[in-house]
Amino acid sequence: MTKPPKKSNSLPSDGPRIRLLTLSQEHGASLASLSEMLGRNASYLQQFIKKGSPRKLEEGDRKMLARFFGVSEEVLGAEGDEAKEKSYNKAPILSKMRESTDWVEVARLDVGASAGPGTVPMGERPFDSFRFSRRWLAEQGLAGAQLSMITVEGDSMDPVLRDGDEILIDRRPQPFRDGVHVVRLGDTLMVKRVAQAGAERFALLSQNLAYPPVDVSAAEIDVVGRVVWKGGRI
């Protein structure tokens, strides 16, 4: 007796899904970053490829992806009249889109953190930005971090941090651990090595021994963020 054929579990239109996955891998662009490029949530294309939802890419999304990869929309599932535009000028569009998916713009804030007696911040508004490789950030454990750049003022953290150095701050809420942090103490903003000094107590430590430790309660300070990188002139 002939057995009935097994029902296929493959998704309809698997071709465009496989091609999209292959293209993303060839160009080093993650599905999450491509989804963000489309203005979608980070799991949008992952769900499209793995779960078949949506069953078909919307025209605007398909067009943007086709322009990014330099292929025709037909490669990504366009049919009939939708596939009339067969190809695109690859170089300029790919370059532009890679800029948004491979790099992260981090704002430079118009404020200094004192490595001295303390300074009152004048205004926390961006005036410029640094661009960091998304891959480098991931390698540093900073993928998805809330990052800002500010300037060090003063010499209390010398030689670890010098006056004029730019520091990268991770402002994500996370369990406290000893290290170099930017903190608010009253109206002043400081960069210090912060260490726990007992129950609900912290010590604000300077690298320059001319500055004595400052003992504070947890209620007195606000930990703005952890310093994770610095840059400055040699």
Side-chain angles (χ1 to χ4, degrees):
M1 182 176 178
T2 304
K3 293 183 179 180
K6 292 182 179 180
K7 184 178 180 181
S8 172
N9 291 322
S10 63
L11 295 168
S13 303
D14 280 348
R17 292 185 174 86
I18 293 172
R19 287 192 288 271
L20 175 57
L21 180 60
T22 301
L23 286 167
S24 70
Q25 293 169 345
E26 288 176 349
H27 290 82
S30 70
L31 295 175
S33 64
L34 292 172
S35 297
E36 292 171 0
M37 180 185 76
L38 299 175
R40 305 281 189 170
N41 66 63
S43 64
Y44 172 66
L45 290 179
Q46 181 78 14
Q47 292 176 344
F48 169 69
I49 289 173
K50 300 297 185 182
K51 298 182 179 180
S53 177
R55 297 180 67 83
K56 183 179 179 181
L57 290 172
E58 292 188 10
E59 182 179 356
D61 294 340
R62 188 178 59 244
K63 185 181 293 291
M64 184 174 291
L65 289 168
R67 289 173 65 86
F68 174 68
F69 293 121
V71 300
S72 71
E73 290 186 49
E74 190 174 17
V75 170
L76 298 175
E79 300 174 355
D81 292 341
E82 295 177 326
K84 283 183 178 178
E85 190 173 358
K86 294 295 182 182
S87 63
Y88 297 91
N89 184 351
K90 180 177 180 179
I93 299 300
L94 182 57
S95 173
K96 181 179 179 182
M97 294 301 183
R98 276 187 172 176
E99 179 177 294
S100 64
T101 58
D102 293 349
W103 301 89
V104 174
E105 297 277 348
V106 176
R108 296 175 71 194
L109 300 183
D110 187 16
V111 61
S114 178
T119 183
V120 178
M122 298 304 294
E124 297 181 11
R125 59 184 183 275
F127 70 97
D128 196 3
S129 65
F130 276 96
R131 179 178 292 180
F132 289 87
S133 158
R134 193 180 297 275
R135 176 178 295 179
W136 181 85
L137 290 174
E139 290 171 353
Q140 305 305 311
L142 297 173
Q146 300 174 19
L147 300 171
S148 299
M149 296 286 296
I150 64 175
T151 304
V152 174
E153 297 177 353
D155 65 352
S156 78
M157 291 300 290
D158 191 280
V160 174
L161 299 175
R162 292 185 168 88
D163 183 47
D165 281 352
E166 305 255 10
I167 52 177
L168 181 64
I169 307 166
D170 181 3
R171 297 179 287 104
R172 285 178 295 183
Q174 53 191 311
F176 176 82
R177 56 191 175 94
D178 293 1
V180 179
H181 293 77
V182 172
V183 300
R184 289 185 189 276
L185 179 62
D187 291 331
T188 64
L189 195 66
M190 300 181 178
V191 56
K192 298 289 182 183
R193 186 173 297 280
V194 184
Q196 287 187 312
E200 300 297 312
R201 306 293 300 181
F202 293 94
L204 306 183
L205 308 172
S206 300
Q207 293 297 125
N208 186 337
L209 297 181
Y211 295 83
V214 177
D215 183 68
V216 296
S217 69
E220 291 179 277
I221 65 167
D222 174 28
V223 179
V224 176
R226 186 178 183 88
V227 178
V228 294
W229 182 86
K230 71 168 185 175
R233 297 184 65 178
I234 298 175

